[in-house]
Amino acid sequence: MFFPIGDSNIQKGYAPFFTFLLLAANIVIFVYQLQLPPVQQEAFSRQFACVPADILQGRNGLSLITSVFLHGGWMHLAGNMLFLYVFADNVEAILGPFRFLLFYVLGGIVASLTHVIMHPYSLTPCVGASGAIAACMGAYLVMFPGSKIKILFLLFLSTFQVRAIFFLGLWILLQFRSQWLSSEAGMISDIAYLAHIGGFVFGMISGLLYRHRVYQGRDGAFRRK
């Protein structure tokens, strides 16, 4: 298994306030949900998760946002928070804190809507921050294509580096492939690949609008102009 654990040539020093706040909010909400009795956990999830059929019937529109802060288990949460930690802080440094928060929320909405539109009759609740995080990854790809991502190879507990354009490019290609295989099999996957794709495309478009703010110095480090 391979996991991104950091990036090597992004200048540090900026305090990513909203990135850390989002990390904390996701964890706190998940822990709160866990301590609820099973019946209340189900009711909580049903109330705040995004259900495509409900959205298209004009019900529970706020779930397009609230679902982004829910997770289906510890591994789901841990994986999303790791990707948020690695990629979001640098995007926040370029956009600025309040613009980044708006970008993150809009990314989550776009991702959820992509899933809703493509699965309009689904009654399956959709949860997770991965669509909004995919938006951060799309923006990162456009802003820092040459950045070196540190990858942990869990099997041998070793690390190596790969450029962002290759890592994130492969990631989004795998999302398209997984969605295509699910469609070919005539099934709806438990993973909302279309939400990932929608969020990522939104992030790339947004990143193009702010890419002019990124400066790469002679030392190879990326900075905000």
Side-chain angles (χ1 to χ4, degrees):
M1 296 290 289
F2 301 91
F3 300 97
I5 58 173
D7 42 17
S8 63
N9 55 343
I10 302 294
Q11 185 186 45
K12 305 302 179 182
Y14 174 83
F17 175 78
F18 279 113
T19 296
F20 292 148
L21 185 62
L22 289 167
L23 277 162
N26 278 278
I27 294 170
V28 168
I29 291 171
F30 181 74
V31 171
Y32 168 77
Q33 187 178 359
L34 278 187
Q35 60 84 36
L36 293 173
V39 174
Q40 292 185 27
Q41 283 190 35
E42 184 176 350
F44 183 88
S45 179
R46 184 71 189 185
Q47 179 179 357
F48 295 108
C50 176
V51 179
D54 288 350
I55 297 296
L56 290 183
Q57 291 178 21
R59 299 195 300 267
N60 204 14
L62 192 60
S63 66
L64 292 171
I65 299 175
T66 57
S67 62
V68 175
F69 293 90
L70 303 182
H71 291 85
W74 280 109
M75 293 303 295
H76 188 202
L77 175 72
N80 276 347
M81 294 305 97
L82 176 61
F83 275 72
L84 179 65
Y85 170 77
V86 172
F87 296 106
D89 59 337
N90 302 295
V91 176
E92 181 178 351
I94 300 301
L95 297 184
F98 294 103
R99 190 178 285 111
F100 167 76
L101 181 62
L102 178 62
F103 161 80
Y104 184 88
V105 171
L106 287 176
I109 293 174
V110 169
S112 296
L113 280 175
T114 304
H115 177 73
V116 167
I117 292 169
M118 298 306 295
H119 301 295
Y121 304 110
S122 174
L123 295 173
T124 303
C126 182
V127 299
S130 52
I133 296 168
C136 296
M137 296 164 67
Y140 190 106
L141 174 62
V142 172
M143 293 176 176
F144 314 106
S147 174
K148 296 177 182 178
I149 307 300
K150 295 179 181 178
I151 306 295
L152 171 64
F153 185 21
L154 196 58
L155 182 61
F156 296 109
L157 293 179
S158 60
T159 61
F160 61 94
Q161 295 182 343
V162 61
R163 292 193 181 277
I165 192 169
F166 297 118
F167 178 80
L168 293 174
L170 176 61
W171 183 87
I172 191 60
L173 285 176
L174 288 175
Q175 306 310 300
F176 276 107
R177 178 180 180 274
S178 297
Q179 177 57 39
W180 179 76
L181 290 175
S182 296
S183 299
E184 283 290 296
M187 55 181 276
I188 298 178
S189 172
D190 291 337
I191 300 175
Y193 295 112
L194 285 168
H196 298 173
I197 293 168
F200 194 90
V201 171
F202 170 81
M204 289 187 68
I205 294 172
S206 300
L208 286 172
L209 298 177
Y210 292 94
R211 192 175 186 276
H212 65 279
R213 295 189 175 190
V214 181
Y215 166 75
Q216 186 173 15
R218 293 182 179 180
D219 58 355
F222 292 93
R223 304 174 178 85
R224 178 176 175 172
K225 287 183 180 179

